[in-house]
């Protein structure tokens, strides 16, 4: 697992966007061989999406031959609801780039058979050739997608009941009323994410510091599901300084020294 420490949220977002863009450019996708990108929602990736939009508008990257699969969606929330993840993705990303609508895949939380919807989602990922790069974030309790603490690290796409902590964290999007927050969601599994050829997580702010500490400093633990990234051969975490305040000093210094020696931050900040 590689950890990239940037000075702030803006630098983190730019680094991550340039990294994703470079991966797509190097892949040179075609209609017959598209690049398959996993997409998250939430506040952490908003800067990443803005930077990718900027690169697209400048003609430095195209999404014409990119196929996307989103991480999750609420159950029983209309797609047109402003807080659905369908709305989030089209409002904050897809409407602003040259992606083809038929190449966008988001779980249907209103499907008549949710189990079948989840099973079919896994089949569609397989038919697309698997995820080339799965972007993501982590929750304050270390969860990835909606794989709450205690989730199986081998899990696949399924229905999950949300924890009280997650519901409370998300109530800010629902007029601060926990009763309005959906109690279930459809989510890719930890195993689904780990099956991607590469994973890139963005982590920012002091609210994520405890989670980042447990994900990096401690061993793999199903109570901090994003810690499974430690087992991925091409797992990356890009974070800002504020998210690092709980890391062990030796851990922090190791990754800072490593990126200084390798020039990792400068390389991708200057890529485009």
């Amino acid at each position: 697992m590689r950890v990239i420490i940037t000075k702030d949220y803006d630098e983190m977002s730019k680094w991550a966007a340039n990294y994703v863009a470079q991966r797509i450019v190097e892949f040179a996708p075609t209609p017959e061989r598209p690049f398959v990108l996993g997409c998250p929602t939430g506040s952490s990736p908003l800067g990443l999406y803005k930077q990718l939009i900027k690169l697209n508008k400048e003609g430095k990257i195209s999404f014409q031959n990119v196929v996307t699969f989103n991480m999750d969606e609420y159950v029983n929330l209309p797609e047109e609801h402003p807080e659905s993840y369908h709305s989030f993705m089209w409002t904050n990303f897809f409407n602003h780039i040259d992606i083809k609508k038929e190449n966008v895949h988001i779980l249907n939380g209103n499907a008549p058979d949710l189990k079948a919807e989840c099973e079919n989602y896994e089949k569609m990922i397989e038919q697309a050739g698997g995820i080339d790069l799965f972007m993501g974030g982590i929750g304050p309790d270390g969860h990835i997608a909606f794989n709450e603490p205690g989730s199986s690290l081998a899990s696949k796409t399924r229905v999950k009941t949300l924890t009280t902590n997650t519901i409370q964290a998300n109530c800010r999007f629902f007029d601060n009323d926990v009763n309005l927050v959906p109690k279930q969601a459809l989510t890719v599994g930890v195993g689904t994410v780990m099956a991607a050829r590469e994973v890139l997580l963005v982590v920012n702010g002091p609210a994520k510091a405890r989670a980042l500490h447990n994900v990096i400093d401690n061993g793999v633990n199903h109570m901090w599901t994003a810690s499974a990234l430690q087992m991925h051969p091409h797992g990356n975490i890009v974070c800002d300084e504020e998210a690092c305040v709980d890391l062990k000093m030796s851990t922090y210094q190791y990754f800072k020294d490593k990126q200084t020696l390798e020039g990792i931050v400068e390389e991708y900040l200057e890529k485009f």
Side-chain angles (χ1 to χ4, degrees):
M1 180 174 65
R2 182 169 66 167
V3 179
I4 308 301
I5 301 170
T6 59
K7 66 179 180 180
D8 55 26
Y9 179 79
D10 289 341
E11 186 173 281
M12 178 196 79
S13 300
K14 183 177 180 181
W15 192 97
N18 284 359
Y19 187 86
V20 172
Q22 185 64 23
R23 284 292 181 267
I24 296 173
V25 169
E26 291 172 346
F27 190 91
T30 65
E32 297 73 29
R33 181 176 171 268
F35 186 90
V36 184
L37 183 66
C39 296
T41 54
S43 56
S44 292
L46 282 174
L48 163 58
Y49 287 146
K50 288 178 181 177
Q51 289 292 330
L52 286 174
I53 291 167
K54 180 175 179 287
L55 293 174
N56 180 241
K57 297 294 187 188
E58 294 172 348
K60 296 175 180 177
I61 181 177
S62 172
F63 292 90
Q64 282 281 321
N65 296 316
V66 173
V67 171
T68 65
F69 286 89
N70 255 74
M71 278 188 159
D72 40 31
E73 177 58 288
Y74 288 117
V75 169
N76 292 330
L77 194 67
E79 287 186 8
E80 63 274 13
H81 190 286
E83 297 305 331
S84 78
Y85 291 158
H86 279 76
S87 293
F88 177 98
M89 291 305 301
W90 285 100
T91 299
N92 293 297
F93 192 36
F94 296 143
N95 278 334
H96 309 285
I97 58 175
D98 61 342
I99 197 166
K100 298 173 183 175
K101 187 173 183 179
E102 61 268 25
N103 285 347
V104 171
H105 301 88
I106 305 176
L107 283 155
N108 179 8
N110 297 287
D113 186 334
L114 296 177
K115 184 173 183 291
E117 170 70 10
C118 294
E119 290 174 350
N120 186 54
Y121 204 67
E122 287 284 342
K123 289 178 183 177
M124 287 193 295
I125 292 174
E126 183 179 350
Q127 290 166 358
I131 307 290
D132 291 301
L133 172 59
F134 224 135
M135 305 182 293
I138 64 174
D141 57 5
H143 72 256
I144 185 170
F146 273 129
N147 294 286
E148 306 282 32
S151 294
S152 167
L153 300 184
S155 56
K156 297 296 185 180
T157 305
R158 67 212 187 284
V159 183
K160 281 293 291 182
T161 298
L162 306 184
T163 65
T164 299
N165 284 342
T166 296
I167 291 170
Q168 289 175 340
N170 289 352
C171 75
R172 68 187 189 277
F173 303 119
F174 293 85
D175 298 326
N176 289 313
D177 186 346
V178 294
N179 297 311
L180 297 179
V181 183
K183 304 304 184 288
Q184 289 186 312
L186 304 185
T187 181
V188 297
V190 180
T192 310
V193 176
M194 291 291 289
R197 283 176 272 280
E198 188 168 11
V199 180
L200 173 67
L201 303 185
V202 291
V203 186
N204 65 284
K208 303 294 179 68
R210 179 168 173 261
L212 188 65
H213 159 65
N214 280 280
V215 166
I216 296 176
D217 278 328
N218 296 327
V220 177
N221 190 327
H222 68 299
M223 297 307 293
W224 302 87
T225 54
S227 67
L229 195 67
Q230 294 180 32
M231 300 186 294
H232 199 287
H234 300 290
N236 305 275
I237 293 178
V238 55
C239 52
D240 64 10
E241 290 281 356
E242 286 188 330
C244 296
V245 295
D246 285 352
L247 289 182
K248 293 178 181 176
M249 181 56 68
S250 57
T251 301
Y252 174 86
Q253 199 60 53
Y254 168 77
F255 286 114
K256 287 290 284 188
D257 289 348
K258 190 174 190 300
Q259 70 188 41
T260 299
L261 287 170
E262 297 179 1
I264 296 171
V265 172
E266 291 74 14
E267 176 187 0
Y268 283 99
L269 284 176
E270 297 171 359
K271 209 71 177 181
F272 291 91

